[in-house]
């Protein structure tokens, strides 16, 4: 499964913020995002699609560098097990 690496994204924003001698309010102003949206992000909140697009554009980060392989969650494993069946054979191969 692929997953967005939020920690890497926020770390990249933090590095750029410090390198440009900016605060989070400056980023908010430059991106057109509300300060509450930017503050929520650097406190661990997930951005919505428009906020993500604005911050990617501002930072010049490439989305493909922020996609990682993630282990399956327990719930996804249960669903896959049910799809495969008890005998271990994939029902799609039958």
């Amino acid at each position: 499964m692929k997953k967005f690496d939020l920690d890497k994204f926020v770390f990249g924003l933090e590095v750029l913020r410090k390198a440009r001698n900016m605060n989070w309010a400056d980023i908010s102003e430059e991106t057109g995002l509300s300060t509450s949206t930017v503050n929520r992000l650097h406190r661990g909140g997930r951005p919505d699609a428009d906020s993500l697009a604005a911050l990617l554009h501002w930072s010049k980060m490439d989305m493909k560098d922020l996609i990682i392989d993630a282990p399956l969650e327990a719930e996804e494993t249960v669903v896959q097990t049910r799809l495969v069946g008890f005998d271990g054979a994939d029902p799609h191969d039958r």
Side-chain angles (χ1 to χ4, degrees), residues 6-93:
L6 181 62
D7 292 336
K8 185 176 181 179
F9 179 59
V10 173
F11 178 77
L13 293 176
E14 183 70 16
V15 168
L16 286 171
R17 182 188 72 77
K18 289 179 179 178
R20 296 176 184 177
N21 199 28
M22 299 174 77
N23 60 42
W24 289 101
D26 296 330
I27 294 172
S28 172
E29 187 175 319
E30 285 195 6
T31 59
L33 298 172
S34 70
T35 38
S36 63
T37 296
V38 174
N39 285 332
R40 185 174 51 252
L41 177 67
H42 85 86
R43 286 192 314 264
R46 297 187 73 77
D48 63 23
D50 292 335
S51 300
L52 178 60
L55 289 163
L56 285 170
H57 178 74
W58 175 83
S59 67
K60 307 292 189 254
M61 281 191 255
D62 192 333
M63 182 66 155
K64 71 179 181 211
D65 297 329
L66 300 169
I67 303 298
I68 58 173
D69 288 318
L72 292 176
E73 300 290 329
E75 184 176 307
E76 293 169 322
T77 303
V78 169
V79 170
Q80 286 188 345
T81 302
R82 289 182 183 154
L83 288 175
V84 170
F86 294 107
D87 60 2
D90 189 327
H92 298 97
D93 292 339

